[in-house]
Amino acid sequence: MPIRIDRCAARAMAPRFDEALELVRNEFDSLDQDRQYRNTFARLLKPDPLQRVRMLGTDQRDLFVPALRELIPEVVPPGGHILDLGAGDGQTFALLADLVPAGATVSYEEPNAGYAADYGAFLETQDHLRPGLAMVAGFEEIDTIDPAPPPDGSVDLVLALHILYFIGDLPAGLLRMARFLKPGGALCVVVAEETQAWSGRALRAFIDAGGDTGRNEGHLAAMAERKRLLGGVLMDVMAAGLPEASFALETRLQPSRLYGHALSDLIALANLAELSPVPGIGKFEAPCGLLRSDPEAVDLRIEDEGPRKGMWSVAQPQLLSILRRRG
């Protein structure tokens, strides 16, 4: 059974929290925002040397990848088209590539040029796939860049894995994603359920402590709106925006977690999602304070069994939604 940390235990660990926060300050102080995010994300991507789990820093992929592996044979035909939005460096798609039918085209959008280059390099190693469009831009810019995105109604599977945090107008963004779909195609969205998750609670702690993201109320409203849309309201958006099409939506809550070898890793992971564009290192102080003052709120614990034994962890539940275009 995991060892759960309550407030009494956290008070006894005060020097460990002080040291963890100082380590994070020292690491992130000299980094620009892109490097801060890369160092944060690297904690999730740590490989398990014994290959027991996909990543040591989170079980999110362990939970959503099996669903995607079931979905791909259903919706992507030989010679079909996949569009990966906010694609990262290709490590997630690499866990799916073997199931993609021969001759399928894979296009991707990714604002980080380094990640986009890594994704393209991976696709070049996949002889059964055809590299498609490489759009080095944010999602909300793709209709204004060259190359233009795939035409509406031309894609069999759209992937939007943990990118909704970076979209300002959520209904419009999800509608835009759905417009890419052919009849019979599917949009797969994965996003943290941040009203419960560590990243969302860290953001709220930062705001409650007087921090400014530049759009505090907008971020808090967006957390609730993501849950509301994927909980069913998205169907109303589709009916209004694409009345000529019909859709079906399935959403499930997955009890995923974030893991770190030390408390400093969990503090650094507060830099995911909405806090990542905030400059400086003050953004880490309030999340650290949350771990110290209310560890039960984020289910702070030390793992005592399994492949992550000895690691610290916090709750980071995610929503997995599959929107299918019926016609």
Side-chain angles (χ1 to χ4, degrees):
M1 294 290 293
I3 301 167
R4 287 186 161 81
I5 307 300
D6 59 18
R7 298 182 192 192
C8 181
R11 283 195 296 271
M13 295 177 179
R16 300 178 70 174
F17 284 98
D18 292 338
E19 178 186 34
L21 182 58
E22 186 64 19
L23 288 171
V24 172
R25 286 176 176 145
N26 291 341
E27 175 184 346
F28 284 81
D29 189 30
S30 62
L31 302 179
D32 61 28
Q33 292 174 33
D34 285 343
R35 291 181 178 180
Q36 283 190 358
Y37 187 76
R38 196 173 186 101
N39 276 28
T40 300
F41 199 54
R43 287 170 160 84
L44 299 185
L45 296 177
K46 285 183 178 179
D48 176 7
L50 298 180
Q51 298 183 345
R52 297 161 297 183
V53 294
R54 292 185 174 89
M55 295 187 294
L56 280 175
T58 182
D59 58 4
Q60 291 176 326
R61 287 182 183 171
D62 293 290
L63 293 175
F64 73 69
V65 162
L68 287 180
R69 290 181 65 84
E70 291 180 6
L71 181 64
I72 286 172
E74 294 179 22
V75 301
V76 183
H81 194 171
I82 294 175
L83 173 58
D84 196 349
L85 300 171
D89 60 3
Q91 289 195 41
T92 300
F93 185 74
L95 301 173
L96 311 169
D98 64 302
L99 280 179
V100 178
T105 296
V106 181
S107 297
Y108 56 96
E109 168 269 319
E110 168 54 46
N112 184 298
Y115 285 159
D118 291 342
Y119 198 112
F122 169 75
L123 288 180
E124 293 293 342
T125 70
Q126 303 298 297
D127 293 338
H128 68 299
L129 301 179
R130 297 172 55 193
L133 296 168
M135 296 167 282
V136 184
F139 172 74
E140 293 179 315
E141 304 170 312
I142 61 174
D143 287 316
T144 65
I145 64 169
D146 184 18
D152 290 358
S154 68
V155 177
D156 299 286
L157 175 63
V158 177
L159 301 175
L161 310 178
H162 287 292
I163 75 161
L164 293 194
Y165 324 105
F166 308 107
I167 296 175
D169 187 333
L170 287 167
L174 287 163
L175 181 63
R176 180 69 190 93
M177 294 176 192
R179 281 170 43 203
F180 287 118
L181 295 176
K182 297 176 182 177
L187 164 64
C188 181
V189 175
V190 179
V191 66
E193 206 291 78
E194 289 195 292
T195 63
Q196 303 176 41
W198 163 239
S199 58
R201 292 185 183 272
L203 170 66
R204 186 175 290 278
F206 173 77
I207 293 172
D208 289 346
D212 185 9
T213 66
R215 51 183 299 264
N216 285 357
E217 293 305 317
H219 282 315
L220 295 176
M223 289 194 305
E225 187 176 23
R226 287 192 285 269
K227 182 177 181 179
R228 186 174 63 92
L229 284 166
L230 299 180
V233 175
L234 182 57
M235 294 297 289
D236 297 331
V237 174
M238 295 298 109
L242 284 170
E244 70 280 8
S246 62
F247 293 90
L249 176 67
E250 173 196 351
T251 296
R252 68 190 81 161
L253 180 68
Q254 297 184 317
S256 51
R257 301 185 66 83
L258 301 179
Y259 300 84
H261 289 286
L263 275 170
S264 58
D265 290 326
L266 298 187
I267 295 169
L269 286 169
N271 192 50
L272 292 172
E274 289 90 345
L275 282 180
S276 62
V278 176
I281 57 173
K283 59 187 170 184
F284 296 109
E285 294 173 3
C288 179
L290 173 62
L291 290 175
R292 297 177 69 151
S293 65
D294 197 3
E296 296 98 333
V298 294
D299 193 20
L300 177 63
R301 71 192 201 192
I302 302 171
E303 302 302 322
D304 196 34
E305 59 187 4
R308 300 180 181 88
K309 184 176 181 178
M311 296 180 73
W312 296 78
S313 73
V314 284
Q316 184 78 3
Q318 65 186 4
L319 295 169
L320 167 65
S321 295
I322 298 173
L323 180 73
R324 297 175 186 264
R325 179 170 178 175
R326 297 301 190 190

